[in-house]
Amino acid sequence: MSLGQLEGRWPVVEGHGDAYRRTAAAIEQAIAHLDAIRDEEATRAQAFDRVREAAGEVAEQLGRATSRYAVAGEALVDYAEQLRVAQDEADEADARWLAADAAATAATAERDRLAVQAAGAHASAALVAEQQRVVEQHAAAREAAADAWALARERKERAAADAAARIRAEVAGSSLRDSLWDDVRGAVGDLLEAVADALVEAIRWLGAIVIAAVAVVVAAALAIAVMATGLVGLLIGGLALLVLGSWVAGGGYEAFVRTLVATGSLEAALVGGTIGWLHGTLPWLADWLVAGDAGAPQLVWTGAQPARTGEPGGFGDHLARLQADNRGVDAHAGGPTGTDAAASTMVTVTAVTDGAATVWRVHIPSTQMWKPGSSSINDVHAGVAATLGDGPTQLERAVVEAMRQAGVPEGASVLLSGWSLGGLTAARLAADPAFTAAYDVDAVVVAGAGIDATAIGGHIPVLAFEHGRGDGTVDPVPLAEDPRLPSLAADAHRTTVRVPPPGLAGPVPHDGRSYQATMQEQGDLAGSRAATWMALHDLERYFVGLEQPHSSIFVRGR
């Protein structure tokens, strides 16, 4: 028995709130552009008079709506923080309750045993009384833990009620009476009656309908702003509106909404919408890129690298070394002199032996060539095929062949790892029934990879690192998933570590070196999700012992 967990997904709530706040900022930016159009005196052409009038009208309407998004965003972000704290407090109280309950049960059994002995004159009544006091102490601790859990639940409910009230007050008190927000007000009134979980449902609805609609309105307003700057701007703005229209009609809008509801991330929704638009509007392009990955990889070189000793270390040391080896296959470290990482692909399999037992680490490379038609099998064709294709990619086939060349026997214990495309490939292999029937996959560790839609079996623990949220910069690659597939990020066997990128990361924090720094830092941080995951799954044997790396290099087969 347990007190249980407080329901709610605070990262999703926070994501919706953050999306609202950024929508408000986007509206303000659009208003500034529209105001500039309205006040523009240099543009005298009569054809633009109506544009200026319309710009002023749109700016006025958007101005009335801005506070709705700002207030809703702040309310939801505040609630998300209180929900996070409440869940942490409830989890701690639940752990204390379980410990006290177990202790009380054991103490009660001991008291009863002593009572039986006392009845037979083998123990004194004083011992029984003393044991009874121990039982009462544990029972009191259990009751205190239950009270703490109830307080955490009250915190969550108060925070939810406060957020709901702030949203209701903003909608009800607004002078704007457009039909969209009239509908929103009704939905909020209906859905927020059951304070806690109804609030999450309300923002799912609001996020799906309102933010998507405003994103289109703001984009259109900015396109109008560009159009009003002159004939060149008219052409560019017209093209922007054309693209916007095709984005909506071609499946981008639907994918945007579906992804936003599932993740609460505006960045994920925009990426998902773009993929959906490409798939719906330019299916031939996706099909052509997937078709470019057809065929079997060709092995051009294979060989053992110098043996080394894996020394004991902290969790951060192990994770950082894992990523260092992933970067090594990107650079063809240890391969023949003169091999070109842009024209061929390396996979390294490392046998780790400690005593009589041997396990195997598999390191898979990231994308090294973004130009179609290359001879490598970790190029743009492989990336699109892994995201939108149905069958195994040439890179997946190459990993299986590299394992065969390294002498990995069937039934062997393996750890799959990679970053970016390498991480996605590792996840796809772990989700392949034929692969998991041949090998015992103990774990998957990835960085900067879009694996949330990859259906990995629940018996395989997954650790994923992503950069984003903390300082406003986001690695877009983990978001680039097929929006037609459901997100599995909340599955119990998955742990995602989403943290701000380190200072060494560039403007787009998708970099192997910066992920290595993150993995070291998070592994070293006591109590972090990464350190807890490493301790729970006991993977020390994959890093300590005699290591024998074996590398194989492939080119694309046609």
Side-chain angles (χ1 to χ4, degrees):
M1 180 180 173
S2 165
L3 296 176
Q5 294 181 318
L6 289 182
E7 293 184 356
R9 295 170 60 192
W10 69 262
V12 172
V13 179
E14 183 183 57
H16 280 292
D18 189 51
Y20 270 95
R21 293 195 299 186
R22 281 176 290 148
T23 299
I27 292 175
E28 291 178 350
Q29 182 184 17
I31 290 172
H33 282 283
L34 293 168
D35 285 342
I37 296 170
R38 180 193 59 196
D39 299 335
E40 178 59 59
E41 295 296 333
T43 305
R44 296 294 183 182
Q46 186 176 357
F48 287 112
D49 286 346
R50 180 54 193 153
V51 173
R52 281 197 293 271
E53 293 174 10
E57 293 171 3
V58 174
E60 183 179 353
Q61 291 296 318
L62 289 177
R64 292 177 183 175
T66 305
S67 66
R68 293 177 173 182
Y69 298 96
V71 169
E74 292 298 332
L76 297 177
V77 169
D78 291 345
Y79 170 65
E81 173 60 18
Q82 290 301 309
L83 175 60
R84 182 189 66 79
V85 172
Q87 287 178 327
D88 287 346
E89 291 175 347
D91 289 346
E92 181 183 355
D94 187 48
R96 295 205 323 263
W97 188 93
L98 286 170
D101 185 62
T105 300
T108 300
E110 176 63 14
R111 181 204 61 194
D112 293 345
R113 186 186 68 80
L114 290 174
V116 171
Q117 289 184 345
H122 296 297
S124 69
L127 286 176
V128 176
E130 177 62 28
Q131 188 63 26
Q132 175 60 29
R133 283 191 290 273
V134 172
V135 171
E136 291 170 354
Q137 289 173 355
H138 291 310
R142 181 173 56 193
E143 184 176 350
D147 290 342
W149 192 94
L151 288 174
R153 181 178 59 191
E154 290 176 12
R155 174 197 283 272
K156 171 191 172 183
E157 293 175 350
R158 285 196 307 270
D162 177 66
R166 288 162 66 183
I167 294 173
R168 279 201 201 93
E170 175 60 26
V171 174
S174 173
S175 62
L176 191 59
R177 288 290 183 265
D178 58 283
S179 60
L180 176 64
W181 273 96
D182 286 343
D183 291 341
V184 170
R185 184 169 61 251
V188 170
D190 293 339
L191 290 173
L192 296 188
E193 291 307 319
V195 247
D197 298 322
L199 179 62
V200 177
E201 292 304 314
I203 50 179
R204 284 167 63 89
W205 187 87
L206 289 171
I209 305 302
V210 180
I211 296 182
V214 159
V216 173
V217 170
V218 171
L222 291 175
I224 292 172
V226 174
M227 289 171 65
T229 60
L231 292 178
V232 174
L234 181 64
L235 176 61
I236 297 173
L239 290 173
L241 286 174
L242 179 63
V243 170
L244 180 65
S246 69
W247 192 80
V248 174
Y253 181 86
E254 181 183 353
F256 176 97
V257 169
R258 186 165 53 247
T259 308
L260 184 63
V261 168
T263 66
S265 166
L266 188 59
E267 289 88 354
L270 289 171
V271 173
T274 301
I275 293 175
W277 171 72
L278 287 171
H279 199 272
T281 307
L282 303 173
W284 58 268
L285 177 59
D287 291 344
W288 175 72
L289 289 170
V290 171
D293 191 62
Q298 294 183 3
L299 178 67
V300 296
W301 176 86
T302 187
Q305 297 196 25
R308 60 195 186 192
T309 301
E311 300 292 344
F315 296 141
D317 297 327
H318 297 332
L319 289 170
R321 191 146 61 87
L322 198 64
Q323 178 63 1
D325 285 349
N326 293 337
R327 293 175 59 208
V329 294
D330 282 351
H332 282 203
T337 303
T339 57
D340 184 358
S344 57
T345 303
M346 174 185 280
V347 177
T348 294
V349 180
T350 300
V352 184
T353 303
D354 184 13
T358 298
V359 294
W360 309 78
R361 292 201 314 262
V362 181
H363 299 276
I364 309 170
S366 66
T367 305
Q368 294 300 302
M369 177 57 70
W370 291 95
K371 179 182 177 182
S374 74
S375 58
S376 66
I377 57 173
N378 54 332
D379 61 359
V380 65
H381 291 287
V384 175
T387 303
L388 299 176
D390 296 325
T393 64
Q394 287 204 30
L395 181 55
E396 290 171 48
R397 293 189 176 102
V399 171
V400 174
E401 177 60 23
M403 294 173 67
R404 192 183 73 81
Q405 293 291 334
V408 182
E410 286 198 7
S413 297
V414 301
L415 184 156
L416 300 174
S417 183
W419 82 281
S420 193
L421 174 61
L424 175 56
T425 302
R428 283 172 58 90
L429 286 168
D432 180 0
F435 186 88
T436 54
Y439 303 104
D440 180 15
V441 181
D442 273 339
V444 176
V445 181
V446 306
I451 66 169
D452 288 348
T454 306
I456 302 170
H459 64 290
I460 301 175
V462 180
L463 177 62
F465 292 86
E466 297 179 8
H467 284 153
R469 291 260 181 244
D471 63 352
T473 56
V474 176
D475 180 356
V477 174
L479 308 178
E481 300 189 71
D482 188 341
R484 299 168 297 175
L485 300 176
S487 173
L488 306 172
D491 286 0
H493 66 291
R494 296 172 180 256
T495 296
T496 300
V497 179
R498 185 178 293 108
V499 294
L504 57 88
V508 178
H510 186 72
D511 172 74
R513 189 165 62 103
S514 61
Y515 271 115
Q516 183 175 333
T518 292
M519 292 164 78
Q520 176 81 62
E521 178 184 82
Q522 292 299 308
D524 288 340
L525 184 62
S528 70
R529 293 169 67 84
T532 301
W533 186 91
M534 289 289 287
L536 179 64
H537 297 293
D538 188 26
L539 298 174
E540 184 87 358
R541 65 190 184 282
Y542 280 95
F543 301 95
V544 178
L546 177 64
E547 296 188 355
Q548 179 59 71
H550 190 284
S551 298
S552 299
I553 296 179
F554 301 85
V555 295
R556 182 173 296 286
R558 303 296 179 182

